[in-house]
Amino acid sequence: NAGVTQTPKFQVLKTGQSMTLQCAQDMNHEYMSWYRQDPGMGLRLIHYSVGAGITDQGEVPNGYNVSRSTTEDFPLRLLSAAPSQTSVYFCASRRANSYEQYFGPGTRLTVT
Amino acid sequence: SQELEQSPQSLIVQEGKNLTINCTSSKTLYGLYWYKQKYGEGLIFLMMLQKGGEEKSHEKITAKLDEKKQQSSLHITASQPSHAGIYLCGADRVSGNDMRFGAGTRLTVKP
């Protein structure tokens, strides 16, 4: 199993550009989540999904969209990038009946 | 202020020394998780505590949950350079998959 994969690893955007961060898992996990990690703030939940077709907002959803058309994929879309979205983004997944989350390696995003 | 406060923010210890990291919640704890993050990488699950007084161990790492104090401690015995990294505590919210994390404790172990 590849586990949780994220692409790209690094990305630089200009203010106002849009892009999609990709996340995929091959463990057939029902739950998937997106977090951002900023210095001194820990991880903050952006959006999460409890299954295909079901998504919900987390702590900091503004400026981000998600969709879950398949169990495997959970892309995160930045609609109009802002410098405040400069961060490291982590995708995670877990089984519905398990508390152990598996994290991807992260995407480091810089918005200039 | 954050829902989960970790202390200390950073810690430098000599190899072989014991150390403790604390995590205090401002809300009732339904489940407390400990993760480790190596620099520049994703998080690795260490253990999860649910019941007050519960204690779990993973190799030389032991975590306890004090439900009344809404606090958990992570203790490393005879630290090694391989223990270096960032330790984060996380807690379940009532709504299920909505997990909150502390800011992390950066541990450096000097050989």
Side-chain angles (χ1 to χ4, degrees):
Chain A
N1 285 352
V4 180
T5 57
Q6 291 184 237
T7 55
K9 283 195 171 183
F10 300 94
Q11 182 71 49
V12 179
L13 290 178
K14 292 189 189 306
T15 297
Q17 286 184 317
S18 62
M19 81 158 292
T20 299
L21 307 186
Q22 301 291 344
C23 173
Q25 52 93 7
D26 60 359
M27 298 172 282
N28 207 31
H29 287 173
E30 294 89 350
Y31 289 6
M32 295 186 76
S33 303
W34 274 104
Y35 296 88
R36 59 177 289 173
Q37 186 176 34
D38 302 293
M41 301 290 291
L43 273 78
R44 291 182 290 170
L45 183 67
I46 304 171
H47 285 285
Y48 65 97
S49 168
V50 298
I54 307 169
T55 63
D56 207 345
Q57 296 181 349
E59 189 181 358
V60 288
N62 292 343
Y64 307 95
N65 271 1
V66 291
S67 59
R68 183 98 180 271
S69 55
T70 66
T71 301
E72 295 78 20
D73 300 299
F74 191 43
L76 178 73
R77 278 180 285 277
L78 279 71
L79 309 172
S80 177
S84 61
Q85 293 178 305
T86 293
S87 187
V88 182
Y89 291 85
F90 288 100
C91 179
S93 72
R94 68 177 176 95
R95 291 199 183 284
N97 61 354
S98 170
Y99 47 72
E100 182 174 351
Q101 285 201 86
Y102 293 78
F103 281 80
T107 294
R108 188 173 294 272
L109 175 69
T110 302
V111 183
T112 61
Chain B
S1 63
Q2 288 202 254
E3 200 168 305
L4 291 173
E5 295 283 346
Q6 285 189 237
S7 62
Q9 287 185 339
S10 64
L11 194 53
I12 302 172
V13 300
Q14 203 67 41
E15 183 176 356
K17 295 293 186 186
N18 302 337
L19 63 106
T20 299
I21 298 168
N22 292 303
C23 175
T24 302
S25 173
S26 60
K27 297 181 187 288
T28 302
L29 289 170
Y30 293 93
L32 192 288
Y33 303 75
W34 284 101
Y35 283 83
K36 179 186 174 184
Q37 182 180 26
K38 289 190 175 179
Y39 301 119
E41 298 180 14
L43 280 68
I44 298 170
F45 173 80
L46 293 176
M47 58 194 88
M48 186 261 194
L49 305 164
Q50 272 187 309
K51 301 173 187 175
E54 188 173 9
E55 182 174 320
K56 287 188 178 177
S57 292
H58 173 74
E59 297 176 347
K60 291 187 178 179
I61 302 174
T62 301
K64 297 180 187 180
L65 179 62
D66 185 334
E67 203 170 54
K68 287 183 183 177
K69 291 185 181 177
Q70 297 180 176
Q71 187 176 54
S72 177
S73 60
L74 185 85
H75 185 77
I76 298 178
T77 304
S79 57
Q80 301 167 359
S82 61
H83 287 129
I86 301 171
Y87 289 83
L88 295 101
C89 64
D92 276 332
R93 303 198 98 211
V94 180
S95 56
N97 201 43
D98 188 357
M99 180 181 271
R100 302 301 161 101
F101 283 87
T105 295
R106 185 179 291 266
L107 173 64
T108 303
V109 180
K110 290 191 168 181

